[in-house]
Every structure is written in C-alpha cells, then in structure tokens.
Amino acid sequence: MGRRQWYNTCMVTFEIKKKRVGPVLGFHPWVFSRAIKEIPEGLPAGEPVRLVDPEGKYLASGYFNSYSQIAVRIWGYRDGEGVDMGFFKRRFERAHALRQRYAYSEDTNAFRLVNGEGDLLPGLVVDMYAGWLSVQFHTPGIERWKNEITVALIEALGPQGIFERSDSAMRGRGQGVSGPLHGDVPAQVEIMEHGLRYIVDLKEGQKTGFFLDQRDKRLALRRYVRGERVLNAFSYSGGFTVSALAAGAEHVVSVDSSASAMALARENVSLNGFGEDLCGFVQSDVKDYLRHYRAEPFGVIV
C-alpha cells in the first residue's frame, strides 16, 4: 500500500485527557505531552496523528512533534483529511489567496506567504520575494515533509525558484541548512514595498533575507520623520532608513555591526535615488555607538 494511502486509512490516534480537551477545542496549536493519555513508542517526528476526546469524538489532526513537552502540532480540523501532496497544496493556495487580498499590491510584491501555525502548517515559514521563495523548516516534523512541500509549492504557485534558509537555533541542531530546493536561485533579488525598492540577499542575509514582518512599521514611521534627524539602530539593510528618507527625513544615520548589511543599506539608499549626503552609515555595535555618541541629538530613533 502506498505511503499516502496508508496515512489516509491508518493514522495514529491520540486520546486527549478529559481535563485537557479545552485548549484543543479553543484552537491552541500545540498539544503538550501531559495532555495525552498514552503516546506509543517509536513514532518518528512528522507522523500524522488524530486527536480524540475520551469518548472517541474527533477533535483535530496534526503531526507528532517529539517525545518532549510539545508532543503534537496541530495542522487541521477536518476528520479524514489525508496527508498528501494535495494537503499541502490546498494550504498554500489558501495562504496565497489571503496574501493576494491583504498584502500584495501594485507597489508591494514581498510578503510572508506561510506563517507556521497561522496557516495550519506549524513549523514552516515561506516568504515571497517578487516571485522567489525563501523557506524555513523549523521542526524535524515539518522537515520530514520537505519533498512534498517543495513540489506542492511549485504546483500551487509556480515560483521562479525556492531557497531553503532553515535556522539551526529554531531546529535545535548543530547547524542550519541552506541551499536551493528548486530553480536557479540568484544571490540577490529586487523587491518592492510600498513603492520603495530593496535588494534582498536570499542566500546570506539575516533570517530569510529581509524583515518582512516590519513592513507596516516601516510605513507607519513615515508619519513621524519629516524634517527630523533619524537614527536607525540595528539597521540591517536599511529598510527603515529608506522609508524615512522617502518621507522627508532631514538626515538618517544607520548603525549595524555587519559590514555586509551596511553595504546593502548603501545600495538600497542609492537604488531609491537618495544621495549619501542625506545619510550616515556606521559599522558598530549599537550599544557602543550610543554610549559614545556626542553629536547633534536625533528627533526620531528606530
């Protein structure tokens, strides 16, 4: 019997203790080991499981995470839903439709496409950068499905390329995993956010390449900076720097300890047509910089 068919018919079932059913009914995305009546030995990370109450009533589905405190990560609430290529493809299509509605626009083409538990794919992060995908597998359980996830992303979205940037700290391993999963992925790509252009380092940049979760904050900053001297601390590739300049800041100083981040920040400032006479770039530990700073005060600090 094939792997996908086996999961449809013989999924492992966990009974949740009567006093521990509440969080599952309340859609908490994790099930802790103490909530489960019995966990059989020998289950591999990523094994699909059904959760039922003491009367056998279906509660949710998920994957076995580990024999540690978080035993199950929930990824569905429909009984009988098989875990196959279609399972992942449906979730990617739904996630993409939501981003198309709320995040994508003519002047923004970069956003978080899959946000782990929020998209019923716990442990998985997928960021969209103008047609390129940067992917992180944060748990061994979701990593088990890497091949199915990669193919489903290709079929659902047709990306130009997919690059993995799994973080070692999140995975609890000795080292991270980085490399192409699909297509010929360039080291850098250009994106647009609220009409501003940025170069993103997909292969060597921090996290997945760009701090997409700060998008709305970069836009909000524009209300406060016109005519002000601005300090962008921990500036990375200058996202807040460019946004402040676009809103009419008098001068922006970017501080970061990374030489490569400073180089990207300079490039992004230039890419948007701003001269370096409006900027300062300081490669330094931010705490040291603030401790020794004695020049003209800043009106706004990021």
Side-chain angles (χ1 to χ4, degrees), residues 58-78:
Y58 172 81
L59 298 171
S61 302
Y63 68 79
F64 179 66
N65 186 60
S66 71
Y67 287 94
S68 61
Q69 188 177 15
I70 302 174
V72 175
R73 294 178 184 264
I74 291 175
W75 62 13
Y77 296 93
R78 183 160 64 87

Side-chain angles (χ1 to χ4, degrees), residues 37-113:
K37 182 178 180 181
E38 182 180 2
I39 302 176
E41 295 294 327
L43 287 179
E47 184 81 6
V49 298
R50 294 175 70 250
L51 305 177
V52 300
D53 67 13
E55 285 70 48
K57 181 180 178 181
Y58 172 81
L59 298 171
S61 302
Y63 68 79
F64 179 66
N65 186 60
S66 71
Y67 287 94
S68 61
Q69 188 177 15
I70 302 174
V72 175
R73 294 178 184 264
I74 291 175
W75 62 13
Y77 296 93
R78 183 160 64 87
D79 197 10
E81 182 179 28
V83 184
D84 54 14
M85 201 76 69
F87 171 88
F88 293 104
K89 188 175 179 180
R90 287 190 298 274
R91 275 155 176 71
F92 293 144
E93 289 171 342
R94 178 180 181 275
H96 188 240
L98 283 171
R99 274 63 177 186
Q100 289 287 97
R101 183 175 180 181
Y102 295 111
Y104 179 81
S105 68
E106 290 183 356
D107 65 3
T108 299
N109 60 10
F111 45 85
R112 177 143 294 179
L113 176 67

Side-chain angles (χ1 to χ4, degrees), residues 238-261:
F240 283 98
T241 300
V242 173
S243 192
L245 290 170
E250 176 185 300
H251 192 84
V252 184
V253 175
S254 304
V255 182
D256 199 285
S257 61
S258 167
S260 60

Side-chain angles (χ1 to χ4, degrees), residues 63 73 116-117 121-125 136-139 142-143:
Y63 68 79
R73 294 178 184 264
E117 284 83 350
L121 287 169
L124 181 67
V125 166
Q136 289 182 321
F137 298 90
H138 285 171
T139 68
I142 202 69
E143 186 180 34

Side-chain angles (χ1 to χ4, degrees), residues 45-293:
E47 184 81 6
V49 298
R50 294 175 70 250
L51 305 177
V52 300
D53 67 13
E55 285 70 48
K57 181 180 178 181
Y58 172 81
L59 298 171
S61 302
Y63 68 79
F64 179 66
N65 186 60
S66 71
Y67 287 94
S68 61
Q69 188 177 15
I70 302 174
V72 175
R73 294 178 184 264
I74 291 175
W75 62 13
Y77 296 93
R78 183 160 64 87
D79 197 10
E81 182 179 28
V83 184
D84 54 14
M85 201 76 69
F87 171 88
F88 293 104
K89 188 175 179 180
R90 287 190 298 274
R91 275 155 176 71
F92 293 144
E93 289 171 342
R94 178 180 181 275
H96 188 240
L98 283 171
R99 274 63 177 186
Q100 289 287 97
R101 183 175 180 181
Y102 295 111
Y104 179 81
S105 68
E106 290 183 356
D107 65 3
T108 299
N109 60 10
F111 45 85
R112 177 143 294 179
L113 176 67
V114 174
N115 188 28
E117 284 83 350
D119 290 293
L120 292 178
L121 287 169
L124 181 67
V125 166
V126 182
D127 284 343
M128 170 74 79
Y129 292 112
W132 305 90
L133 301 181
S134 183
V135 181
Q136 289 182 321
F137 298 90
H138 285 171
T139 68
I142 202 69
E143 186 180 34
R144 175 180 173 180
W145 298 91
K146 182 186 293 187
N147 291 337
E148 287 85 351
I149 286 169
T150 300
V151 174
L153 282 170
I154 294 168
E155 292 186 358
L157 305 173
Q160 297 183 65
I162 305 174
F163 197 82
E164 180 179 358
R165 290 292 307 277
S166 296
D167 190 305
S168 59
M170 295 295 293
R171 290 150 53 94
R173 307 267 181 99
Q175 61 183 24
V177 174
S178 179
L181 297 178
H182 166 67
D184 185 12
V185 181
Q188 297 182 341
V189 299
E190 181 180 322
I191 66 167
M192 183 177 292
E193 179 187 275
H194 297 308
L196 300 175
R197 299 159 67 195
Y198 297 97
I199 298 297
V200 176
D201 187 341
L202 289 182
K203 295 185 177 181
E204 301 293 337
Q206 295 179 26
K207 302 298 182 180
T208 66
F210 196 69
F211 288 87
L212 292 171
D213 58 328
Q214 301 298 312
R215 180 181 63 249
D216 291 340
K217 296 182 180 67
R218 284 187 283 268
L219 183 63
L221 176 70
R222 300 188 195 183
R223 299 199 301 265
Y224 307 106
V225 299
R226 178 169 294 279
E228 298 282 2
R229 283 175 47 79
V230 179
L231 170 63
N232 183 11
F234 307 100
S235 60
Y236 182 44
S237 59
F240 283 98
T241 300
V242 173
S243 192
L245 290 170
E250 176 185 300
H251 192 84
V252 184
V253 175
S254 304
V255 182
D256 199 285
S257 61
S258 167
S260 60
M262 284 287 90
L264 266 182
R266 287 179 182 272
E267 189 172 359
N268 285 329
V269 165
S270 176
L271 185 65
N272 287 277
F274 301 112
E276 288 201 11
D277 58 311
L278 298 175
C279 308
F281 299 94
V282 181
Q283 185 185 340
S284 170
D285 179 274
V286 170
K287 288 181 289 184
D288 289 341
Y289 176 82
L290 293 175
R291 189 177 297 117
H292 297 102
Y293 184 76

